[in-house]
Amino acid sequence: MSSQSQTNEPHARASTNRPLPYLAILCLAGLAAIWGYNWVVMKVGVRYAEPFTFAAMRAVLSAAFLFPVIAALHRPLRLQAPLFTAIIGILQTTGFVGLITWALEQGAAGRTSVLVYTMPFWLLLMAWMFLGERVRGLQWPAVIIALVGLVLVLRPWQLEGTSFSSLLAVAAGFCWAAASVLLKVMNKRHTVDVLSFTAWQLLIGSIPLVVIAILTADSTPVWNTAFIGALAFNVLPANALAWVMWLYVLRSLPAGTAGVGTLAIPVVGVLSAWLQLGERPSTLEGIGMLLILAALAALTLRGLLLSRNARQGT
């Protein structure tokens, strides 16, 4: 085994010194554009359908699209790690998708996109508590700065309608973080196919969304051009195409570099909502959003530095 690692060492060093592939960089920029702009698209979608109806349709149709793709690519179709897949599906699809759609119905797209991306900070704390991953160095001030920004955006001293949507967005980020912790645990215990796992967790997580939609819906969707376009954008570019692009990015770029793409997503979301929907944040909201984005940038920079040091040390 040691001889194998010695044989592969020159190749590993050579590969880390290669320039980053341009196609992967383009995919990363495309992901930021697609997932960032999708906050505006989802906001348009919930104008013509109740939030859980839109969330359920998005999840069901995305799963229905992925299963034939998996079969065409001859990837495994059977359900793997069923308990983990079910729980992650509840958190990541039922919780995350349902809550962000509900938050968008109640509040602004730009604010929602930033608050959902508090996920890395919840993930830091959960990994510390449940995985034994200590919070170190730059992570502490980043968490504190993010919490200050969160308070400025939520404005707990000024309770109003938008506070509820903000809490829903934060709860969505919390569900996303919890699902990510379980993913790390699952990956240590099981080897699963990413596309197959994604399709199954979408399908399982969509079942509660369908039930909630049936129980709470007072009206049917308005099938106009805007709604059909919003639904199609969520099923195809924002889910099917974006997942393929994300998998390519993860295979082609260091994880820290890929993390930069997630930093750009809420920025695109805020700017798109400002330009298209006229959602101009208040002064306090703007400062809070900038603090959250600055904290996220600090964590991303730390990830890049650690990734570079690890590659140089191999």
Side-chain angles (χ1 to χ4, degrees):
M1 184 172 179
S2 58
S3 61
Q4 177 75 22
S5 61
Q6 289 173 358
T7 304
N8 291 337
E9 185 175 355
H11 174 73
R13 288 182 178 176
S15 64
T16 57
N17 292 326
R18 289 181 305 176
L20 297 176
Y22 291 111
L23 181 57
I25 296 295
L26 288 175
C27 284
L28 193 57
L31 276 172
I34 292 171
W35 278 342
Y37 183 65
N38 194 40
W39 293 100
V40 171
V41 176
M42 288 189 291
K43 180 68 177 179
V44 172
V46 296
R47 289 176 178 173
Y48 303 104
E50 297 193 27
F52 285 101
T53 300
F54 184 73
M57 295 177 71
R58 168 188 171 181
V60 169
L61 291 174
S62 296
F65 181 86
L66 279 176
F67 277 109
V69 171
I70 294 168
L73 294 175
H74 304 291
R75 308 288 279 272
L77 277 170
R78 68 180 182 84
L79 177 60
Q80 302 165 318
L83 182 60
F84 278 103
T85 304
I87 297 173
I88 292 170
I90 297 297
L91 287 169
Q92 193 161 288
T93 296
T94 308
F96 177 68
V97 175
L99 288 170
I100 62 172
T101 314
W102 193 7
L104 283 168
E105 186 218 22
Q106 298 285 325
R111 184 195 305 113
T112 301
S113 68
V114 172
L115 291 176
V116 167
Y117 275 86
T118 56
M119 182 277 285
F121 311 110
W122 303 126
L123 183 57
L124 272 179
L125 297 176
M126 289 182 190
W128 180 31
M129 290 186 289
F130 300 112
L131 301 178
E133 297 181 6
R134 294 176 57 191
V135 181
R136 303 169 185 266
L138 190 62
Q139 291 175 324
W140 277 117
V143 170
I144 294 170
I145 291 170
L147 288 176
V148 173
L150 188 60
V151 169
L152 292 179
V153 175
L154 291 177
R155 292 173 294 171
W157 60 86
Q158 187 179 355
L159 295 176
E160 54 187 34
T162 55
S163 295
F164 181 62
S165 68
S166 297
L167 290 173
L168 290 174
V170 173
F174 188 86
C175 285
W176 186 8
S180 299
V181 170
L182 280 177
L183 272 168
K184 294 191 75 169
V185 175
M186 182 188 72
N187 287 333
K188 290 179 180 178
R189 300 182 183 180
H190 304 278
T191 301
V192 299
D193 180 82
V194 174
L195 279 178
S196 179
F197 167 78
T198 301
W200 276 108
Q201 70 87 15
L202 273 169
L203 180 62
I204 293 171
S206 68
I207 295 172
L209 288 176
V210 171
V211 173
I212 295 171
I214 292 172
L215 294 176
T216 61
D218 294 324
S219 60
T220 57
V222 178
W223 290 92
N224 56 20
T225 304
F227 176 72
I228 294 172
L231 187 60
F233 189 90
N234 273 267
V235 173
L236 297 174
N239 274 319
L241 176 61
W243 267 108
V244 174
M245 292 169 67
W246 179 242
L247 290 173
Y248 178 74
V249 166
L250 287 178
R251 287 180 183 143
S252 305
L253 297 178
T257 306
V260 176
T262 65
L263 171 62
I265 291 166
V267 176
V268 174
V270 171
L271 294 177
S272 300
W274 192 341
L275 293 173
Q276 184 169 336
L277 304 177
E279 294 179 357
R280 184 169 184 172
S282 67
T283 302
L284 278 181
E285 283 180 332
I287 294 172
M289 290 180 187
L290 287 174
L291 287 174
I292 292 172
L293 291 173
L296 186 56
L299 288 180
T300 303
L301 176 61
R302 181 180 182 275
L304 282 170
L305 292 175
L306 289 176
S307 175
R308 187 187 66 181
N309 292 339
R311 286 184 292 132
Q312 289 178 346
T314 55

